[in-house]
Amino acid sequence: MAKQQQQKLGQPKKRQLFVPIFVGIVAFIAGIGLTLVAGLAMIGHVGFSQNQSRGSLSKITSVYQTIKANYYQPVSSDKLINGAINGMVSSLNDPFSEYLANQDATDLNNTISGSFGGIGTSVKQAGNYVAVDAPVKNTPATKAGLKTDDLIVSIDGKSAKGLTVAKVVAKIRGKIGTKVTLGLRRGSTAFTLTLTRAKIPVKTVTGAIDPTNPTVGNIQITTFSEPTGKELKQTIKSLRQKGAKCFVIDLRGNPGGTLPTALETASMFLKNGQTIMQTQEKAAQPVKYVASKDYDQGFKVKEKTVVLVDGDSASAAEIFASALQQSAHDQVIGTQSYGKGTVQTVSDLGGNSEMKITTAKWLQPDGTWINHKGVTPDQKVKYPDYAYLSTFDTGKTYQLNQSSRAIVAIQKILNALGYTVDQENGVYDQSMQTAVTNFQNDQLKNGVTGLQANGIVDPATGDALVNALTQKISQNDPMYAKAVAVLTQ
């Protein structure tokens, strides 16, 4: 890479971002990842012609002064200034350009660094609530005694029913040292815990040897934040020591991360000089970024590799997948990726405020722009049909002789789990009652508490149905199975 390009990536307080719209089934309470890069000039350095300065910008000043002097109620200067900035950015009609002030700016910076103020657990959707998925050791969550499958029914005294994973994450995440009170339900027991938020480092890379193929290393990258490159190297070294001779790189649900991290990690899998990606700014020729020791510090992965993507793989994840697909000629397996082909630059405006705006396209190694199209897998493999089933209101009770759309959803889930229902017509009949009773008995045998084998879908049974379906989806993974087959054939 040219010296000029390296300097550009190293400028302080200026970063470029790839920020997709993404909500996953499982997300850290500490926060959800973004995609970021080094950036352009400070916003204050953008030039205007004299006519623009005296004309258009004077209108902004005039409106500000008029409101301050004549509006019938006092108006905060900060509110007016923030409103003016938000208005200009909103006029771009670009969902990835925005003005970030105070906590929003802090959250973005925390996401880049890979650590957050939170309680230290992953969470998952469980019917109409969000549940604890896996508390992280030595965090407020484990110290307070949170356990997997604890339902979060309220946050700071307000009901959490109907909230998405993303909304629960946003409410529980916060400033380090502040407190959050959670109302929880464990089986039939309800209780309340108050936890003090702490700095939670988010591990972005995990790996394991495939249980049935000891030469296959399975690596998941959840986001591309600052620690990811180091974590990926450590994971690969560890898996090599355990016998891995080839790797699955799972980028499904990965919303992106920092561009320097995408360049660093992709470079590990490419020969020096091979193209990772290209960027193209306004009225400029594309600039290529190529694999080199400057990115990967000489650490290379020469083992056979397959990459997994889906519709929630975006930005930096797509850069990584494209680089390995086109330059390393590794296979990409899964479904069409998200398709975000733009670069955002973050400018520090001072006063704990920042602005990010789209400043460039990014292109695949061959020059293709994937915006709104995504990366096309070499082998398209879908999730099983039951992975797309609708959920239902688990806070309600459903029983014999009732009928509703929610019961249709329950019938489809029961059939997917192997508990046969005669018809998926929304009528709670005798065959459905028998199927529910059989499900409840099996759950009780497996140690699930809070259920009664009575053939009634109460809230506890509803949550158990959703959890069982989620578990089946994770255990029956045709994309991963195809990747292993490709690696071991």
Side-chain angles (χ1 to χ4, degrees), residues 10 29 38-39 78 93 97 151 174-175 201 228 263 298 341 350 400 434:
I29 275 184
D78 286 343
N93 293 319
S97 296
L151 285 182
K175 187 176 180 180
T228 303
L263 296 172
L400 189 64
T434 300

Side-chain angles (χ1 to χ4, degrees), residues 427-444:
V427 177
Y428 205 123
D429 58 13
Q430 189 63 51
S431 74
M432 181 173 175
Q433 186 180 54
T434 300
V436 171
T437 302
N438 291 338
F439 170 78
Q440 291 167 329
N441 278 321
D442 287 344
Q443 291 288 296
L444 289 167

